[in-house]
Amino acid sequence: MKTLTAGESLDIEVGSGLAPYVEATALRLGYAEQLFSVQTDGSRFRVTARAPFDREAIERRIAHALYREKIRVESAPLRARFLELLSQR
Amino acid sequence: MNVWPLRFTDVGRDALLFCDEAGGFFRSDDAFLERYANDILTEADRDFLLAGGHSFEEEGDRHHVGFAARWAKRQFVPGPLEYIILVPTLRCDLACRYCQVSRVNANARGFDWNEATLNAVLALIDSLTSERIKIEFQGGEPLLRLDLLSRVRDFCRRRFRSAEFVVCTNLQKVSEEAWAFLAAADTFVSTSFDGDALTHTRQRTLDPAQTATFLSNLERAMTTLGTGKVSALPTIDPDNPPAPDAIIAGFARLGLRSIYLRPVNYHGFARKRFGQGDQQLWNAYYDRFIDALIAYNAHAAEPMEEFYFTHCLRRIFRAGHHGHVDMRNPNILGADYLVIDHDGTLYPTDEARMMTRIGQMDLSIGSVFGGLDQEKLQILNANSDNNFHEDCGQCVFQPFCGVDVIDDLSRYGRIDLSRHETAFCRRHTALFTRIFELIYTDDAATRRSLAAWLGVPAFDPALAPVHK
């Protein structure tokens, strides 16, 4: 288990299936994450630790954030339809 | 099959808590997340999600309608105005270090309702459409104006089919006339007791003799009025809190089974002395308190609860549990409850009154003489729900949580901070995280407490679903 020291960076590649969600994920992590900063070129993340941080934990957090964004975008029509139905009643 | 959007959070190594927007939750792992997010669910996944109410086959089927019903029940829809907090006087005979309401001395003039204000208050109450009413007398010390309390109570008893009264008193000086007033079946007492005599003296009375008088009055209230009619709330200074065991013992000794643990409120005069407080410090203390309660309940004949913890626990398992005005979604202000100050000014909450009183921000929403300021209310209510908030929309606890616009305004002067930067979010994220930890533990003592707090004979493990 490798730990990133404060100021150390890590590059995380993103598979093509999740690429459409990279920018929005980076934007969100940019203000929500306290423990590391995030930059992206659209296909990968460069993560820089603000404090010592376990590398696997960072990778897991990034993966979870990407999945959250994917779920949010893909389920938006279903959610909108549901709210539309409710508002008609 | 359509799966309702699932939010999730990390709850340990390879363990995730999932929840849909109607509050249906379960625990699973990263493997399930990958299958779900990449739309490669197995037959077992599909069966589990359908059985748990997290999906539907087609619009309008029983799964779809069931979800809609559960979702709707999670939304707070205000009824008619039927809960009013009245402040007939701002005067008080105590000078607590952390007074939240900016009281004035007992002999001050101009801080009580006059006859015109009383009449306008009664006219407002008379205009209500509800058949029932709950009146909470706040202060100051309301027992200083027993005459006003009596006139309001007499009026409400005549006017409404059902009326209930709560007197929030420091129980410091209680005349025989006041005891007789409090003895009525429709009248309840709410007081403050900081857990043990030492802390109560340090924080409130500054005099052991006065504390002894208070404790004697509290015991009399418990004995003569009955335990069901008296509640006592401790205020905790997170920098110098009493030991959890001491508070629990102090309340148990008096026969009080419910403790509403409150940190010093960031309002009124308390704001100057105590500042914002350290949320992490409070959360850590609160955790220790819950641990102590579970340990106590493991062997106690009569279990005890922390009121707010129990309330939030019940919000998880019972959609429609909206009985606490500080924890609702949407939290519509100025609708089903209202605060009327000593000068007849209307406020959406007691905290809004405190903020206005110290000159921080004018959150008054009208007066008994001129009615409600609907325009101001609309502005306040424009951001009163968490359903569409960017941050809450990714939070697994959103269906159980609420909104507190007034707290945000009080602490930050604005409401557009990202949620995780607010005390409200930090407190409730910690609280719900802890509750779910307990829900998913197989510890017998914890389950005994959970059952007691939920009001069920035993905690059924089926209440904590897991999917692999």
Side-chain angles (χ1 to χ4, degrees), chain A residues 28 31 34 60 64 67-68 70 78-79 81, chain B residues 3 8 10 21 30 37 59 387 391 394 420:
Chain A
R28 176 167 173 75
Y31 76 83
Q34 313 289 306
R60 194 161 177 246
H64 286 175
Y67 278 140
R68 280 193 188 94
K70 183 175 192 285
L78 176 66
R79 191 169 188 258
R81 172 71 183 147
Chain B
V3 182
F8 62 94
D10 191 342
E21 277 187 77
D30 280 275
E59 218 171 73
N387 295 309
D391 294 337
Q394 296 212 353
H420 71 276

mmCIF file with all atom_site columns, all heavy atoms in Angstrom, chain A residues 28 31 34 60 64 67-68 70 78-79 81, chain B residues 3 8 10 21 30 37 59 387 391 394 420:
data_model
loop_
_atom_site.group_PDB
_atom_site.id
_atom_site.type_symbol
_atom_site.label_atom_id
_atom_site.label_alt_id
_atom_site.label_comp_id
_atom_site.label_asym_id
_atom_site.label_entity_id
_atom_site.label_seq_id
_atom_site.pdbx_PDB_ins_code
_atom_site.Cartn_x
_atom_site.Cartn_y
_atom_site.Cartn_z
_atom_site.occupancy
_atom_site.B_iso_or_equiv
_atom_site.pdbx_formal_charge
_atom_site.auth_seq_id
_atom_site.auth_comp_id
_atom_site.auth_asym_id
_atom_site.auth_atom_id
_atom_site.pdbx_PDB_model_num
ATOM 1   N N   . ARG A 1 28  ? -16.368 19.015 -9.659  1.00 0.00 ? 28  ARG A N   1
ATOM 2   C CA  . ARG A 1 28  ? -16.969 18.759 -8.347  1.00 0.00 ? 28  ARG A CA  1
ATOM 3   C C   . ARG A 1 28  ? -15.900 18.449 -7.296  1.00 0.00 ? 28  ARG A C   1
ATOM 4   O O   . ARG A 1 28  ? -15.925 18.994 -6.193  1.00 0.00 ? 28  ARG A O   1
ATOM 5   C CB  . ARG A 1 28  ? -17.965 17.600 -8.446  1.00 0.00 ? 28  ARG A CB  1
ATOM 6   C CG  . ARG A 1 28  ? -18.550 17.234 -7.113  1.00 0.00 ? 28  ARG A CG  1
ATOM 7   C CD  . ARG A 1 28  ? -19.739 16.327 -7.185  1.00 0.00 ? 28  ARG A CD  1
ATOM 8   N NE  . ARG A 1 28  ? -20.076 15.940 -5.821  1.00 0.00 ? 28  ARG A NE  1
ATOM 9   C CZ  . ARG A 1 28  ? -20.671 16.727 -4.942  1.00 0.00 ? 28  ARG A CZ  1
ATOM 10  N NH1 . ARG A 1 28  ? -21.007 17.956 -5.289  1.00 0.00 ? 28  ARG A NH1 1
ATOM 11  N NH2 . ARG A 1 28  ? -20.931 16.313 -3.724  1.00 0.00 ? 28  ARG A NH2 1
ATOM 12  N N   . TYR A 1 31  ? -13.973 21.410 -5.648  1.00 0.00 ? 31  TYR A N   1
ATOM 13  C CA  . TYR A 1 31  ? -14.452 22.193 -4.494  1.00 0.00 ? 31  TYR A CA  1
ATOM 14  C C   . TYR A 1 31  ? -14.851 21.321 -3.310  1.00 0.00 ? 31  TYR A C   1
ATOM 15  O O   . TYR A 1 31  ? -14.929 21.794 -2.189  1.00 0.00 ? 31  TYR A O   1
ATOM 16  C CB  . TYR A 1 31  ? -15.594 23.133 -4.899  1.00 0.00 ? 31  TYR A CB  1
ATOM 17  C CG  . TYR A 1 31  ? -16.942 22.496 -5.116  1.00 0.00 ? 31  TYR A CG  1
ATOM 18  C CD1 . TYR A 1 31  ? -17.792 22.234 -4.046  1.00 0.00 ? 31  TYR A CD1 1
ATOM 19  C CD2 . TYR A 1 31  ? -17.379 22.179 -6.393  1.00 0.00 ? 31  TYR A CD2 1
ATOM 20  C CE1 . TYR A 1 31  ? -19.040 21.669 -4.254  1.00 0.00 ? 31  TYR A CE1 1
ATOM 21  C CE2 . TYR A 1 31  ? -18.623 21.611 -6.605  1.00 0.00 ? 31  TYR A CE2 1
ATOM 22  C CZ  . TYR A 1 31  ? -19.450 21.361 -5.528  1.00 0.00 ? 31  TYR A CZ  1
ATOM 23  O OH  . TYR A 1 31  ? -20.684 20.805 -5.727  1.00 0.00 ? 31  TYR A OH  1
ATOM 24  N N   . GLN A 1 34  ? -11.190 17.923 0.286   1.00 0.00 ? 34  GLN A N   1
ATOM 25  C CA  . GLN A 1 34  ? -10.304 18.677 1.174   1.00 0.00 ? 34  GLN A CA  1
ATOM 26  C C   . GLN A 1 34  ? -8.869  18.145 1.122   1.00 0.00 ? 34  GLN A C   1
ATOM 27  O O   . GLN A 1 34  ? -7.914  18.874 1.361   1.00 0.00 ? 34  GLN A O   1
ATOM 28  C CB  . GLN A 1 34  ? -10.790 18.560 2.634   1.00 0.00 ? 34  GLN A CB  1
ATOM 29  C CG  . GLN A 1 34  ? -12.274 18.793 2.819   1.00 0.00 ? 34  GLN A CG  1
ATOM 30  C CD  . GLN A 1 34  ? -12.626 20.235 2.610   1.00 0.00 ? 34  GLN A CD  1
ATOM 31  O OE1 . GLN A 1 34  ? -12.051 21.109 3.226   1.00 0.00 ? 34  GLN A OE1 1
ATOM 32  N NE2 . GLN A 1 34  ? -13.574 20.498 1.724   1.00 0.00 ? 34  GLN A NE2 1
ATOM 33  N N   . ARG A 1 60  ? -9.865  4.937  -5.431  1.00 0.00 ? 60  ARG A N   1
ATOM 34  C CA  . ARG A 1 60  ? -11.246 4.508  -5.168  1.00 0.00 ? 60  ARG A CA  1
ATOM 35  C C   . ARG A 1 60  ? -12.191 5.721  -5.134  1.00 0.00 ? 60  ARG A C   1
ATOM 36  O O   . ARG A 1 60  ? -13.289 5.684  -5.680  1.00 0.00 ? 60  ARG A O   1
ATOM 37  C CB  . ARG A 1 60  ? -11.270 3.748  -3.841  1.00 0.00 ? 60  ARG A CB  1
ATOM 38  C CG  . ARG A 1 60  ? -12.552 2.974  -3.603  1.00 0.00 ? 60  ARG A CG  1
ATOM 39  C CD  . ARG A 1 60  ? -12.375 1.897  -2.558  1.00 0.00 ? 60  ARG A CD  1
ATOM 40  N NE  . ARG A 1 60  ? -13.642 1.219  -2.289  1.00 0.00 ? 60  ARG A NE  1
ATOM 41  C CZ  . ARG A 1 60  ? -14.287 1.284  -1.128  1.00 0.00 ? 60  ARG A CZ  1
ATOM 42  N NH1 . ARG A 1 60  ? -13.782 1.977  -0.131  1.00 0.00 ? 60  ARG A NH1 1
ATOM 43  N NH2 . ARG A 1 60  ? -15.440 0.650  -0.967  1.00 0.00 ? 60  ARG A NH2 1
ATOM 44  N N   . HIS A 1 64  ? -15.309 6.360  -7.571  1.00 0.00 ? 64  HIS A N   1
ATOM 45  C CA  . HIS A 1 64  ? -16.660 6.574  -7.039  1.00 0.00 ? 64  HIS A CA  1
ATOM 46  C C   . HIS A 1 64  ? -17.251 7.888  -7.545  1.00 0.00 ? 64  HIS A C   1
ATOM 47  O O   . HIS A 1 64  ? -18.428 7.954  -7.907  1.00 0.00 ? 64  HIS A O   1
ATOM 48  C CB  . HIS A 1 64  ? -16.633 6.571  -5.514  1.00 0.00 ? 64  HIS A CB  1
ATOM 49  C CG  . HIS A 1 64  ? -16.451 5.204  -4.927  1.00 0.00 ? 64  HIS A CG  1
ATOM 50  N ND1 . HIS A 1 64  ? -16.303 4.983  -3.591  1.00 0.00 ? 64  HIS A ND1 1
ATOM 51  C CD2 . HIS A 1 64  ? -16.377 3.983  -5.512  1.00 0.00 ? 64  HIS A CD2 1
ATOM 52  C CE1 . HIS A 1 64  ? -16.156 3.678  -3.361  1.00 0.00 ? 64  HIS A CE1 1
ATOM 53  N NE2 . HIS A 1 64  ? -16.197 3.065  -4.518  1.00 0.00 ? 64  HIS A NE2 1
ATOM 54  N N   . TYR A 1 67  ? -18.351 7.427  -11.103 1.00 0.00 ? 67  TYR A N   1
ATOM 55  C CA  . TYR A 1 67  ? -19.592 6.648  -11.169 1.00 0.00 ? 67  TYR A CA  1
ATOM 56  C C   . TYR A 1 67  ? -20.790 7.485  -10.723 1.00 0.00 ? 67  TYR A C   1
ATOM 57  O O   . TYR A 1 67  ? -21.882 7.389  -11.295 1.00 0.00 ? 67  TYR A O   1
ATOM 58  C CB  . TYR A 1 67  ? -19.490 5.394  -10.311 1.00 0.00 ? 67  TYR A CB  1
ATOM 59  C CG  . TYR A 1 67  ? -18.771 4.264  -11.004 1.00 0.00 ? 67  TYR A CG  1
ATOM 60  C CD1 . TYR A 1 67  ? -17.882 3.446  -10.317 1.00 0.00 ? 67  TYR A CD1 1
ATOM 61  C CD2 . TYR A 1 67  ? -18.979 3.993  -12.353 1.00 0.00 ? 67  TYR A CD2 1
ATOM 62  C CE1 . TYR A 1 67  ? -17.221 2.401  -10.939 1.00 0.00 ? 67  TYR A CE1 1
ATOM 63  C CE2 . TYR A 1 67  ? -18.319 2.958  -12.982 1.00 0.00 ? 67  TYR A CE2 1
ATOM 64  C CZ  . TYR A 1 67  ? -17.445 2.165  -12.274 1.00 0.00 ? 67  TYR A CZ  1
ATOM 65  O OH  . TYR A 1 67  ? -16.807 1.145  -12.908 1.00 0.00 ? 67  TYR A OH  1
ATOM 66  N N   . ARG A 1 68  ? -20.608 8.316  -9.700  1.00 0.00 ? 68  ARG A N   1
ATOM 67  C CA  . ARG A 1 68  ? -21.712 9.174  -9.247  1.00 0.00 ? 68  ARG A CA  1
ATOM 68  C C   . ARG A 1 68  ? -22.170 10.087 -10.381 1.00 0.00 ? 68  ARG A C   1
ATOM 69  O O   . ARG A 1 68  ? -23.359 10.278 -10.610 1.00 0.00 ? 68  ARG A O   1
ATOM 70  C CB  . ARG A 1 68  ? -21.273 10.032 -8.052  1.00 0.00 ? 68  ARG A CB  1
ATOM 71  C CG  . ARG A 1 68  ? -21.279 9.302  -6.746  1.00 0.00 ? 68  ARG A CG  1
ATOM 72  C CD  . ARG A 1 68  ? -21.149 10.249 -5.538  1.00 0.00 ? 68  ARG A CD  1
ATOM 73  N NE  . ARG A 1 68  ? -20.964 9.438  -4.353  1.00 0.00 ? 68  ARG A NE  1
ATOM 74  C CZ  . ARG A 1 68  ? -19.788 9.120  -3.838  1.00 0.00 ? 68  ARG A CZ  1
ATOM 75  N NH1 . ARG A 1 68  ? -18.680 9.609  -4.382  1.00 0.00 ? 68  ARG A NH1 1
ATOM 76  N NH2 . ARG A 1 68  ? -19.693 8.353  -2.773  1.00 0.00 ? 68  ARG A NH2 1
ATOM 77  N N   . LYS A 1 70  ? -21.721 9.638  -13.594 1.00 0.00 ? 70  LYS A N   1
ATOM 78  C CA  . LYS A 1 70  ? -22.324 8.818  -14.663 1.00 0.00 ? 70  LYS A CA  1
ATOM 79  C C   . LYS A 1 70  ? -23.774 8.460  -14.301 1.00 0.00 ? 70  LYS A C   1
ATOM 80  O O   . LYS A 1 70  ? -24.691 8.592  -15.123 1.00 0.00 ? 70  LYS A O   1
ATOM 81  C CB  . LYS A 1 70  ? -21.497 7.537  -14.851 1.00 0.00 ? 70  LYS A CB  1
ATOM 82  C CG  . LYS A 1 70  ? -21.986 6.630  -15.981 1.00 0.00 ? 70  LYS A CG  1
ATOM 83  C CD  . LYS A 1 70  ? -21.007 5.452  -16.149 1.00 0.00 ? 70  LYS A CD  1
ATOM 84  C CE  . LYS A 1 70  ? -21.249 4.673  -17.439 1.00 0.00 ? 70  LYS A CE  1
ATOM 85  N NZ  . LYS A 1 70  ? -22.396 3.830  -17.415 1.00 0.00 ? 70  LYS A NZ  1
ATOM 86  N N   . LEU A 1 78  ? -34.930 9.720  -16.373 1.00 0.00 ? 78  LEU A N   1
ATOM 87  C CA  . LEU A 1 78  ? -35.865 8.947  -15.540 1.00 0.00 ? 78  LEU A CA  1
ATOM 88  C C   . LEU A 1 78  ? -36.376 9.805  -14.385 1.00 0.00 ? 78  LEU A C   1
ATOM 89  O O   . LEU A 1 78  ? -37.575 9.834  -14.086 1.00 0.00 ? 78  LEU A O   1
ATOM 90  C CB  . LEU A 1 78  ? -35.146 7.704  -15.001 1.00 0.00 ? 78  LEU A CB  1
ATOM 91  C CG  . LEU A 1 78  ? -35.906 6.818  -14.037 1.00 0.00 ? 78  LEU A CG  1
ATOM 92  C CD1 . LEU A 1 78  ? -37.088 6.175  -14.730 1.00 0.00 ? 78  LEU A CD1 1
ATOM 93  C CD2 . LEU A 1 78  ? -34.977 5.739  -13.471 1.00 0.00 ? 78  LEU A CD2 1
ATOM 94  N N   . ARG A 1 79  ? -35.465 10.539 -13.776 1.00 0.00 ? 79  ARG A N   1
ATOM 95  C CA  . ARG A 1 79  ? -35.821 11.395 -12.651 1.00 0.00 ? 79  ARG A CA  1
ATOM 96  C C   . ARG A 1 79  ? -36.748 12.524 -13.114 1.00 0.00 ? 79  ARG A C   1
ATOM 97  O O   . ARG A 1 79  ? -37.751 12.845 -12.473 1.00 0.00 ? 79  ARG A O   1
ATOM 98  C CB  . ARG A 1 79  ? -34.543 11.957 -12.043 1.00 0.00 ? 79  ARG A CB  1
ATOM 99  C CG  . ARG A 1 79  ? -34.709 12.637 -10.727 1.00 0.00 ? 79  ARG A CG  1
ATOM 100 C CD  . ARG A 1 79  ? -33.368 12.928 -10.083 1.00 0.00 ? 79  ARG A CD  1
ATOM 101 N NE  . ARG A 1 79  ? -33.530 13.411 -8.739  1.00 0.00 ? 79  ARG A NE  1
ATOM 102 C CZ  . ARG A 1 79  ? -33.416 14.705 -8.403  1.00 0.00 ? 79  ARG A CZ  1
ATOM 103 N NH1 . ARG A 1 79  ? -33.144 15.595 -9.321  1.00 0.00 ? 79  ARG A NH1 1
ATOM 104 N NH2 . ARG A 1 79  ? -33.589 15.071 -7.149  1.00 0.00 ? 79  ARG A NH2 1
ATOM 105 N N   . ARG A 1 81  ? -38.710 12.542 -15.675 1.00 0.00 ? 81  ARG A N   1
ATOM 106 C CA  . ARG A 1 81  ? -40.019 11.984 -16.022 1.00 0.00 ? 81  ARG A CA  1
ATOM 107 C C   . ARG A 1 81  ? -40.835 11.720 -14.752 1.00 0.00 ? 81  ARG A C   1
ATOM 108 O O   . ARG A 1 81  ? -42.033 11.984 -14.694 1.00 0.00 ? 81  ARG A O   1
ATOM 109 C CB  . ARG A 1 81  ? -39.814 10.686 -16.809 1.00 0.00 ? 81  ARG A CB  1
ATOM 110 C CG  . ARG A 1 81  ? -41.073 9.902  -17.077 1.00 0.00 ? 81  ARG A CG  1
ATOM 111 C CD  . ARG A 1 81  ? -41.967 10.575 -18.088 1.00 0.00 ? 81  ARG A CD  1
ATOM 112 N NE  . ARG A 1 81  ? -43.212 9.849  -18.291 1.00 0.00 ? 81  ARG A NE  1
ATOM 113 C CZ  . ARG A 1 81  ? -44.378 10.416 -18.569 1.00 0.00 ? 81  ARG A CZ  1
ATOM 114 N NH1 . ARG A 1 81  ? -44.469 11.725 -18.698 1.00 0.00 ? 81  ARG A NH1 1
ATOM 115 N NH2 . ARG A 1 81  ? -45.453 9.685  -18.751 1.00 0.00 ? 81  ARG A NH2 1
ATOM 116 N N   . VAL B 2 3   ? -33.943 1.087  -12.986 1.00 0.00 ? 3   VAL B N   1
ATOM 117 C CA  . VAL B 2 3   ? -33.480 1.251  -11.594 1.00 0.00 ? 3   VAL B CA  1
ATOM 118 C C   . VAL B 2 3   ? -33.552 2.723  -11.237 1.00 0.00 ? 3   VAL B C   1
ATOM 119 O O   . VAL B 2 3   ? -33.050 3.584  -11.969 1.00 0.00 ? 3   VAL B O   1
ATOM 120 C CB  . VAL B 2 3   ? -32.032 0.740  -11.434 1.00 0.00 ? 3   VAL B CB  1
ATOM 121 C CG1 . VAL B 2 3   ? -31.583 0.884  -9.980  1.00 0.00 ? 3   VAL B CG1 1
ATOM 122 C CG2 . VAL B 2 3   ? -31.914 -0.711 -11.890 1.00 0.00 ? 3   VAL B CG2 1
ATOM 123 N N   . PHE B 2 8   ? -24.665 6.595  -3.290  1.00 0.00 ? 8   PHE B N   1
ATOM 124 C CA  . PHE B 2 8   ? -23.905 5.657  -2.466  1.00 0.00 ? 8   PHE B CA  1
ATOM 125 C C   . PHE B 2 8   ? -22.787 6.382  -1.741  1.00 0.00 ? 8   PHE B C   1
ATOM 126 O O   . PHE B 2 8   ? -22.354 7.467  -2.148  1.00 0.00 ? 8   PHE B O   1
ATOM 127 C CB  . PHE B 2 8   ? -23.334 4.510  -3.316  1.00 0.00 ? 8   PHE B CB  1
ATOM 128 C CG  . PHE B 2 8   ? -22.374 4.967  -4.371  1.00 0.00 ? 8   PHE B CG  1
ATOM 129 C CD1 . PHE B 2 8   ? -21.014 4.982  -4.130  1.00 0.00 ? 8   PHE B CD1 1
ATOM 130 C CD2 . PHE B 2 8   ? -22.836 5.400  -5.608  1.00 0.00 ? 8   PHE B CD2 1
ATOM 131 C CE1 . PHE B 2 8   ? -20.122 5.418  -5.098  1.00 0.00 ? 8   PHE B CE1 1
ATOM 132 C CE2 . PHE B 2 8   ? -21.956 5.842  -6.588  1.00 0.00 ? 8   PHE B CE2 1
ATOM 133 C CZ  . PHE B 2 8   ? -20.600 5.851  -6.330  1.00 0.00 ? 8   PHE B CZ  1
ATOM 134 N N   . ASP B 2 10  ? -19.097 5.456  0.747   1.00 0.00 ? 10  ASP B N   1
ATOM 135 C CA  . ASP B 2 10  ? -18.123 4.482  1.239   1.00 0.00 ? 10  ASP B CA  1
ATOM 136 C C   . ASP B 2 10  ? -18.323 4.288  2.748   1.00 0.00 ? 10  ASP B C   1
ATOM 137 O O   . ASP B 2 10  ? -18.309 5.248  3.510   1.00 0.00 ? 10  ASP B O   1
ATOM 138 C CB  . ASP B 2 10  ? -16.732 5.076  0.964   1.00 0.00 ? 10  ASP B CB  1
ATOM 139 C CG  . ASP B 2 10  ? -15.624 4.093  1.167   1.00 0.00 ? 10  ASP B CG  1
ATOM 140 O OD1 . ASP B 2 10  ? -15.856 3.075  1.839   1.00 0.00 ? 10  ASP B OD1 1
ATOM 141 O OD2 . ASP B 2 10  ? -14.522 4.349  0.661   1.00 0.00 ? 10  ASP B OD2 1
ATOM 142 N N   . GLU B 2 21  ? -33.957 7.705  -3.781  1.00 0.00 ? 21  GLU B N   1
ATOM 143 C CA  . GLU B 2 21  ? -34.496 8.998  -3.332  1.00 0.00 ? 21  GLU B CA  1
ATOM 144 C C   . GLU B 2 21  ? -35.738 8.869  -2.458  1.00 0.00 ? 21  GLU B C   1
ATOM 145 O O   . GLU B 2 21  ? -36.177 9.841  -1.853  1.00 0.00 ? 21  GLU B O   1
ATOM 146 C CB  . GLU B 2 21  ? -34.830 9.882  -4.538  1.00 0.00 ? 21  GLU B CB  1
ATOM 147 C CG  . GLU B 2 21  ? -33.633 10.609 -5.081  1.00 0.00 ? 21  GLU B CG  1
ATOM 148 C CD  . GLU B 2 21  ? -34.022 11.599 -6.161  1.00 0.00 ? 21  GLU B CD  1
ATOM 149 O OE1 . GLU B 2 21  ? -34.528 12.673 -5.831  1.00 0.00 ? 21  GLU B OE1 1
ATOM 150 O OE2 . GLU B 2 21  ? -33.819 11.276 -7.338  1.00 0.00 ? 21  GLU B OE2 1
ATOM 151 N N   . ASP B 2 30  ? -18.182 -2.780 -4.025  1.00 0.00 ? 30  ASP B N   1
ATOM 152 C CA  . ASP B 2 30  ? -17.711 -2.141 -5.256  1.00 0.00 ? 30  ASP B CA  1
ATOM 153 C C   . ASP B 2 30  ? -18.085 -2.956 -6.497  1.00 0.00 ? 30  ASP B C   1
ATOM 154 O O   . ASP B 2 30  ? -18.321 -2.385 -7.567  1.00 0.00 ? 30  ASP B O   1
ATOM 155 C CB  . ASP B 2 30  ? -16.187 -1.945 -5.204  1.00 0.00 ? 30  ASP B CB  1
ATOM 156 C CG  . ASP B 2 30  ? -15.823 -0.717 -4.382  1.00 0.00 ? 30  ASP B CG  1
ATOM 157 O OD1 . ASP B 2 30  ? -15.825 0.385  -4.947  1.00 0.00 ? 30  ASP B OD1 1
ATOM 158 O OD2 . ASP B 2 30  ? -15.552 -0.865 -3.166  1.00 0.00 ? 30  ASP B OD2 1
ATOM 159 N N   . ALA B 2 37  ? -23.427 0.654  -12.311 1.00 0.00 ? 37  ALA B N   1
ATOM 160 C CA  . ALA B 2 37  ? -23.048 1.849  -13.074 1.00 0.00 ? 37  ALA B CA  1
ATOM 161 C C   . ALA B 2 37  ? -22.816 1.529  -14.549 1.00 0.00 ? 37  ALA B C   1
ATOM 162 O O   . ALA B 2 37  ? -23.009 2.388  -15.409 1.00 0.00 ? 37  ALA B O   1
ATOM 163 C CB  . ALA B 2 37  ? -21.809 2.483  -12.462 1.00 0.00 ? 37  ALA B CB  1
ATOM 164 N N   . GLU B 2 59  ? -43.767 2.096  -16.183 1.00 0.00 ? 59  GLU B N   1
ATOM 165 C CA  . GLU B 2 59  ? -44.428 3.230  -15.547 1.00 0.00 ? 59  GLU B CA  1
ATOM 166 C C   . GLU B 2 59  ? -45.861 2.858  -15.141 1.00 0.00 ? 59  GLU B C   1
ATOM 167 O O   . GLU B 2 59  ? -46.607 2.315  -15.967 1.00 0.00 ? 59  GLU B O   1
ATOM 168 C CB  . GLU B 2 59  ? -44.485 4.380  -16.543 1.00 0.00 ? 59  GLU B CB  1
ATOM 169 C CG  . GLU B 2 59  ? -44.254 5.724  -15.921 1.00 0.00 ? 59  GLU B CG  1
ATOM 170 C CD  . GLU B 2 59  ? -44.100 6.789  -16.980 1.00 0.00 ? 59  GLU B CD  1
ATOM 171 O OE1 . GLU B 2 59  ? -45.120 7.147  -17.599 1.00 0.00 ? 59  GLU B OE1 1
ATOM 172 O OE2 . GLU B 2 59  ? -42.959 7.237  -17.191 1.00 0.00 ? 59  GLU B OE2 1
ATOM 173 N N   . ASN B 2 387 ? -33.933 18.681 -2.527  1.00 0.00 ? 387 ASN B N   1
ATOM 174 C CA  . ASN B 2 387 ? -34.129 17.721 -3.621  1.00 0.00 ? 387 ASN B CA  1
ATOM 175 C C   . ASN B 2 387 ? -33.323 18.056 -4.871  1.00 0.00 ? 387 ASN B C   1
ATOM 176 O O   . ASN B 2 387 ? -32.935 17.156 -5.616  1.00 0.00 ? 387 ASN B O   1
ATOM 177 C CB  . ASN B 2 387 ? -35.615 17.672 -4.012  1.00 0.00 ? 387 ASN B CB  1
ATOM 178 C CG  . ASN B 2 387 ? -36.461 17.122 -2.891  1.00 0.00 ? 387 ASN B CG  1
ATOM 179 O OD1 . ASN B 2 387 ? -36.169 16.072 -2.341  1.00 0.00 ? 387 ASN B OD1 1
ATOM 180 N ND2 . ASN B 2 387 ? -37.507 17.847 -2.531  1.00 0.00 ? 387 ASN B ND2 1
ATOM 181 N N   . ASP B 2 391 ? -25.173 19.509 -4.407  1.00 0.00 ? 391 ASP B N   1
ATOM 182 C CA  . ASP B 2 391 ? -24.422 18.661 -3.467  1.00 0.00 ? 391 ASP B CA  1
ATOM 183 C C   . ASP B 2 391 ? -25.323 17.596 -2.842  1.00 0.00 ? 391 ASP B C   1
ATOM 184 O O   . ASP B 2 391 ? -24.949 16.421 -2.777  1.00 0.00 ? 391 ASP B O   1
ATOM 185 C CB  . ASP B 2 391 ? -23.805 19.518 -2.353  1.00 0.00 ? 391 ASP B CB  1
ATOM 186 C CG  . ASP B 2 391 ? -22.751 20.460 -2.896  1.00 0.00 ? 391 ASP B CG  1
ATOM 187 O OD1 . ASP B 2 391 ? -22.197 20.159 -3.973  1.00 0.00 ? 391 ASP B OD1 1
ATOM 188 O OD2 . ASP B 2 391 ? -22.493 21.492 -2.261  1.00 0.00 ? 391 ASP B OD2 1
ATOM 189 N N   . GLN B 2 394 ? -26.105 14.327 -4.635  1.00 0.00 ? 394 GLN B N   1
ATOM 190 C CA  . GLN B 2 394 ? -25.160 13.212 -4.678  1.00 0.00 ? 394 GLN B CA  1
ATOM 191 C C   . GLN B 2 394 ? -24.978 12.593 -3.289  1.00 0.00 ? 394 GLN B C   1
ATOM 192 O O   . GLN B 2 394 ? -24.092 11.751 -3.100  1.00 0.00 ? 394 GLN B O   1
ATOM 193 C CB  . GLN B 2 394 ? -23.809 13.690 -5.212  1.00 0.00 ? 394 GLN B CB  1
ATOM 194 C CG  . GLN B 2 394 ? -23.908 14.166 -6.658  1.00 0.00 ? 394 GLN B CG  1
ATOM 195 C CD  . GLN B 2 394 ? -22.646 13.933 -7.453  1.00 0.00 ? 394 GLN B CD  1
ATOM 196 O OE1 . GLN B 2 394 ? -21.634 13.534 -6.939  1.00 0.00 ? 394 GLN B OE1 1
ATOM 197 N NE2 . GLN B 2 394 ? -22.715 14.179 -8.752  1.00 0.00 ? 394 GLN B NE2 1
ATOM 198 N N   . HIS B 2 420 ? -21.008 20.866 2.081   1.00 0.00 ? 420 HIS B N   1
ATOM 199 C CA  . HIS B 2 420 ? -20.083 20.250 3.031   1.00 0.00 ? 420 HIS B CA  1
ATOM 200 C C   . HIS B 2 420 ? -19.314 21.287 3.844   1.00 0.00 ? 420 HIS B C   1
ATOM 201 O O   . HIS B 2 420 ? -18.663 20.957 4.824   1.00 0.00 ? 420 HIS B O   1
ATOM 202 C CB  . HIS B 2 420 ? -19.109 19.318 2.296   1.00 0.00 ? 420 HIS B CB  1
ATOM 203 C CG  . HIS B 2 420 ? -18.096 20.036 1.464   1.00 0.00 ? 420 HIS B CG  1
ATOM 204 N ND1 . HIS B 2 420 ? -18.355 20.462 0.188   1.00 0.00 ? 420 HIS B ND1 1
ATOM 205 C CD2 . HIS B 2 420 ? -16.838 20.423 1.744   1.00 0.00 ? 420 HIS B CD2 1
ATOM 206 C CE1 . HIS B 2 420 ? -17.283 21.079 -0.281  1.00 0.00 ? 420 HIS B CE1 1
ATOM 207 N NE2 . HIS B 2 420 ? -16.351 21.064 0.645   1.00 0.00 ? 420 HIS B NE2 1
#
